[in-house]
Amino acid sequence: KDLKSRLINRKIKKPNPFVMTICMWGLGILNKRYKVQFSYDYDKRSLGGKPTILLSSHASRLEFIYSIYGFGRRDINVVCGYQNLLKKGLFRIFIALGVISKYLYQPDLICVKHMIGVMKRGGCIGLFPEGIQATSGSTHPINPATAQFIKRSKANVVVATSKGAYLATNRYSSDRKKGYIGINYTLLFTPETLENLTTEQIYEQLLQKISYNDFAYNKIARNKYVGEKPNAYGIDKILYKCPDCKDENSLTVENDSLKCKKCGFEVKINEYYDIV
């Protein structure tokens, strides 16, 4: 069978205990190095062996490092974009970890079937409902079908929301910044509360809880983010029109400043991501 058929037709099992232990050990080292801070509004041990869905924000390309490790359950089957499973050297590891593949931007009944199977055996699913890393440091739209799945799952639902993760690894640069990252875990729904809520109410509460805006957050928190390269580096890939003269593709980055070659407009982006 070809690789696609093997991915779709395989039986989703619990993550291999040995491989999961090694991976959690590695994630622990990274979280300690990045000085990630975790907070909880429930007892993590209370959900052991119970059907659970972890819904995590996706502010950073490294979000899985933070949210999966902090959640703590080693029987978690993470839903991942099909294209990520095919990356060189990762395919066999992902299979051993019981990763569920999902085709992006289209209905995927096989994926849903696999997730339901995990729920039936009392397992745990890890989902990033935005479906893509944040492009602007704030929440991407979330498909309302997520609320329908939550309603029918009759499972515990935990929401993990990050603060500062986008500022540490923004979308327009590969440079990793040193700065505050906080992950908060909330037990948003239980099987009992889901019975009394409509799909619309579930969706509204989910959006409210998972919402984030790192730039607005840091206007108040005032955490510094410093990397090997200035915070302005690479931002001209996104900001293509000068806000002053409206000329396109004339913005360039020099050190920590963004300049317009046509009209001379210039701003500095400091360690707080302020535009000065």
Side-chain angles (χ1 to χ4, degrees), residues 153-221:
S153 72
K154 299 179 181 179
N156 295 290
V157 179
V158 175
V159 175
T161 308
S162 65
K163 290 183 179 178
Y166 182 86
L167 304 181
T169 49
N170 61 57
R171 188 63 182 263
Y172 55 83
S173 171
S174 60
D175 188 33
R176 174 69 173 75
K177 315 294 183 184
K178 292 183 180 180
Y180 172 81
I181 299 174
I183 310 292
N184 175 256
Y185 296 85
T186 299
L187 179 57
L188 189 61
F189 304 115
T190 64
E192 293 73 26
T193 58
L194 287 176
E195 289 183 3
N196 301 320
L197 295 173
T198 65
T199 302
E200 291 74 19
Q201 291 172 324
I202 293 171
Y203 186 60
E204 182 179 349
Q205 290 187 36
L206 171 60
L207 292 183
Q208 184 178 4
K209 194 63 187 178
I210 206 169
S211 177
Y212 61 90
N213 186 320
D214 274 2
F215 290 106
Y217 160 74
N218 209 41
K219 287 292 183 183
I220 300 172

Side-chain angles (χ1 to χ4, degrees), residues 200-270:
E200 291 74 19
Q201 291 172 324
I202 293 171
Y203 186 60
E204 182 179 349
Q205 290 187 36
L206 171 60
L207 292 183
Q208 184 178 4
K209 194 63 187 178
I210 206 169
S211 177
Y212 61 90
N213 186 320
D214 274 2
F215 290 106
Y217 160 74
N218 209 41
K219 287 292 183 183
I220 300 172
R222 308 309 289 165
N223 295 313
K224 291 184 178 181
Y225 293 87
V226 180
E228 294 182 359
K229 298 176 181 178
N231 289 353
Y233 179 80
I235 201 170
D236 52 329
K237 298 175 184 176
I238 294 178
L239 304 180
Y240 64 89
K241 180 184 289 188
C242 176
D244 194 24
C245 70
K246 310 303 179 185
D247 192 56
E248 295 187 4
N249 303 317
S250 61
L251 294 173
T252 60
V253 169
E254 294 182 17
N255 297 319
D256 60 356
S257 298
L258 184 71
K259 298 181 180 180
C260 177
K261 294 183 290 186
K262 184 175 182 180
C263 70
F265 173 83
E266 180 179 351
V267 293
K268 176 182 177 181
I269 300 177
N270 64 20

